[in-house]
């Protein structure tokens, strides 16, 4: 279910940008804004709708949301300069009801080590989808235009809908909601950790293909294939974490953040597309490590009653980043170019990481227990 849902979700979020720019004539600013609109509705679902529903109703909405995704994909093929905005908003809302419940389902075991291993496996499943999906889309783009990609992913979305009926939901009737979840240290540590990576990843999602085309003048299918080495390294990292879970997260987080900053700075001076591919592959390592470590921080600091709310708010915060960052990157790129804009993302990564380590370096959340 995770592979099917995330592959479809990633296809939509990474294809809306180049489809809007190269087939509908959007500027970089509008590309950033339409990406922000899609993540804004996802933010609404993850921050407000999903945490407020009891498990029984949430399961029904989860299944319906998967059906909505199946129904919308063919409409993207026929979309226009106007309708693309409506479709992007609605499908963003549907994805917001799907993804947080998959994380919660992956953590519904009592044994801590088993739960952390399962969360790493869940994250590895995400990465598998992010290898297979872009590889499949690269093949489609070698023969068809961007709008056909939405049709090509309908079978995968149908599979996701069928499997959605089997996903587990918490059996508790006393789930914690509201501000109490926001004060949980697992939530605070996880959003600081994920910020060190999802600030650049939000830009990558919206603009990686465009950056490859504009800077290195490669064809659309080769430009989109840049995601393949990126997500391959992410998968290998998560597979390693599944086989050998980290007890202490301190050194893995530090290494991940250093790789992120070095590779982002490298995009400014990258002399060729081949070097650019190597940088993107290296950037896949922190993509593979930081997200599962963030979910492990949540698992270590929450009870089952708290977990749905904290996971929902965690993803809501991620969606906020995907609203703000693409819009800001799209705007700045009009003045200083995409390469320099990507390089400047090292600044917020550095500032947030310094605060994160100052606050949690000695905390049990990072140190780990027996």
């Amino acid at each position: 279910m995770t592979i099917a849902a995330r592959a479809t979700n990633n296809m939509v979020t990474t294809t809306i940008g180049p489809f809007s720019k190269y087939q509908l004539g959007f500027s970089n600013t509008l590309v950033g804004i339409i990406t922000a609109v899609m993540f804004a509705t996802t933010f609404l679902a993850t921050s407000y709708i999903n945490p407020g529903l009891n498990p029984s109703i949430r399961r029904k909405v989860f299944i319906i949301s998967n059906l909505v995704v199946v129904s919308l994909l063919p409409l993207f093929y026929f979309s226009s300069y106007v309708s693309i905005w409506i479709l992007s908003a609605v499908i963003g809302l549907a994805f917001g009801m799907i993804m947080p419940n998959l994380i919660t389902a992956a953590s519904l075991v009592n044994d801590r080590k088993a739960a952390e291993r399962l969360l790493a496996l869940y994250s590895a499943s995400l990465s598998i989808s992010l290898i297979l999906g872009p590889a499949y889309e690269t093949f489609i783009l070698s023969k068809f235009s961007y709008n056909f990609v939405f049709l090509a992913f309908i079978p995968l979305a149908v599979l996701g809908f069928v499997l959605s009926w089997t996903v587990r939901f918490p059996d508790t009737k006393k789930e914690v909601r509201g501000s109490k979840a926001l004060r949980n240290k697992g939530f605070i540590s996880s959003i600081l950790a994920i910020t060190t990576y999802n600030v650049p990843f939000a830009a990558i999602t919206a603009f990686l293909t465009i950056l490859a085309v504009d800077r290195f003048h490669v064809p659309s299918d080769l430009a989109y294939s840049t995601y393949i080495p990126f997500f391959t390294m992410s998968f290998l990292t998560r597979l390693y974490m599944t086989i050998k879970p980290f007890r202490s997260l301190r050194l893995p987080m530090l290494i991940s953040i250093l790789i992120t900053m070095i590779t982002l700075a490298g995009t400014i001076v990258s002399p060729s597309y081949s070097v650019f591919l190597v940088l993107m592959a290296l950037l896949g390592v922190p993509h593979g490590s930081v997200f599962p470590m963030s979910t492990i921080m949540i698992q270590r600091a929450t009870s089952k009653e708290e977990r749905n709310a904290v996971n929902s708010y965690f993803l809501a915060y991620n969606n906020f980043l995907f609203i703000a960052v693409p819009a800001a990157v799209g705007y700045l790129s009009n003045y200083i170019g995409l390469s320099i804009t990507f390089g400047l993302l090292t600044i917020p990564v550095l500032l947030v990481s310094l605060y994160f380590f100052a606050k949690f370096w000695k905390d049990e959340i990072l140190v780990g227990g027996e």
Side-chain angles (χ1 to χ4, degrees):
M1 175 64 204
T2 297
I3 291 171
R6 185 63 177 110
T8 306
N9 168 251
N10 183 70
M11 178 278 293
V12 173
T13 57
T14 58
T15 305
I16 288 293
F19 170 58
S20 300
K21 181 178 178 69
Y22 298 120
Q23 287 192 236
L24 299 180
F26 282 25
S27 66
N28 280 355
T29 300
L30 285 179
V31 169
I33 292 174
I34 195 170
T35 303
V37 166
M38 181 167 45
F39 282 104
T41 56
T42 304
F43 174 81
L44 174 65
T46 55
S47 64
Y48 181 73
I49 301 175
N50 191 67
L53 301 177
N54 66 52
S56 176
I57 296 176
R58 200 163 67 243
R59 179 178 181 272
K60 295 175 183 176
V61 174
F62 173 79
I63 294 171
I64 292 171
S65 296
N66 279 277
L67 180 60
V68 168
V69 171
V70 174
S71 303
L72 290 181
L73 289 182
L75 299 182
F76 275 97
Y77 178 81
F78 300 102
S79 60
S80 65
Y81 191 93
V82 175
S83 64
I84 188 72
W85 294 91
I86 300 171
L87 295 174
S88 298
V90 177
I91 204 166
L93 189 70
F95 284 134
M97 295 305 304
I98 295 171
M99 302 313 295
N101 290 300
L102 290 176
I103 296 181
T104 299
S107 64
L108 294 180
V109 293
N110 293 320
D111 179 73
R112 172 172 159 172
K113 186 174 182 179
E116 293 184 7
R117 189 185 298 275
L118 187 56
L119 284 169
L121 181 60
Y122 160 79
S123 299
S125 299
L126 292 178
S127 289
I128 292 172
S129 71
L130 298 178
I131 298 170
L132 298 179
Y136 180 44
E137 180 158 350
T138 297
F139 171 74
I140 297 299
L141 287 172
S142 69
K143 302 178 181 298
F144 303 98
S145 56
Y146 282 108
N147 61 336
F148 188 84
V149 174
F150 297 99
L151 298 183
F153 273 77
I154 290 175
L156 202 58
V158 170
L159 177 62
F161 170 66
V162 172
L163 293 175
S164 68
W165 293 81
T166 69
V167 174
R168 290 180 60 198
F169 279 70
D171 55 9
T172 179
K173 296 183 179 180
K174 297 180 180 179
E175 289 185 318
V176 174
R177 299 170 187 169
S179 60
K180 185 176 180 181
L182 297 177
R183 294 192 297 268
N184 183 280
K185 71 175 181 178
F187 171 72
I188 296 170
S189 62
S190 68
I191 65 167
L192 290 173
I194 203 66
T195 301
T196 68
Y197 192 77
N198 265 2
V199 166
F201 184 52
I204 288 169
T205 298
F207 290 105
L208 183 59
T209 300
I210 295 172
L211 176 60
V213 171
D214 289 358
R215 180 166 178 182
F216 301 106
H217 309 293
V218 295
S220 59
D221 56 333
L222 183 59
Y224 195 86
S225 71
T226 307
Y227 286 109
I228 297 175
F230 175 85
F231 287 126
T232 298
M233 289 301 295
S234 174
F235 165 70
L236 293 175
T237 303
R238 291 176 177 180
L239 180 62
Y240 176 83
M241 292 178 66
T242 303
I243 297 170
K244 190 177 181 180
F246 299 134
R247 186 177 73 173
S248 172
L249 304 181
R250 291 195 293 187
L251 186 58
M253 275 298 304
L254 179 59
I255 292 173
S256 297
I257 290 168
L258 290 175
I259 292 174
T260 299
M261 291 191 294
I262 291 169
T263 51
L264 283 176
T267 60
I268 299 177
V269 295
S270 178
S272 67
Y273 182 65
S274 298
V275 174
F276 183 68
L277 283 178
V278 173
L279 290 173
M280 290 303 104
L282 288 173
L283 201 51
V285 174
H287 178 271
S289 62
V290 175
F291 180 84
M293 285 193 287
S294 299
T295 61
I296 287 170
M297 292 175 201
I298 292 173
Q299 193 277 333
R300 288 181 177 181
T302 59
S303 64
K304 284 187 178 182
E305 290 75 19
E306 297 172 301
R307 204 158 295 152
N308 173 66
V310 173
N311 280 330
S312 294
Y313 292 136
F314 169 70
L315 286 189
Y317 174 75
N318 281 275
N319 292 324
F320 169 76
L321 292 179
F322 278 81
I323 296 167
V325 173
V329 168
Y331 177 78
L332 284 174
S333 69
N334 289 325
Y335 299 96
I336 61 176
L338 272 177
S339 295
I340 295 177
T341 304
F342 266 61
L344 289 177
L345 294 176
T346 56
I347 297 174
V349 172
L350 175 61
L351 294 177
V352 173
S353 62
L354 290 174
Y355 179 73
F356 170 74
F357 285 127
K359 188 174 180 63
F360 291 104
W361 183 257
K362 295 182 180 180
D363 196 282
E364 176 68 13
I365 285 180
L366 286 189
V367 175
E370 295 295 327

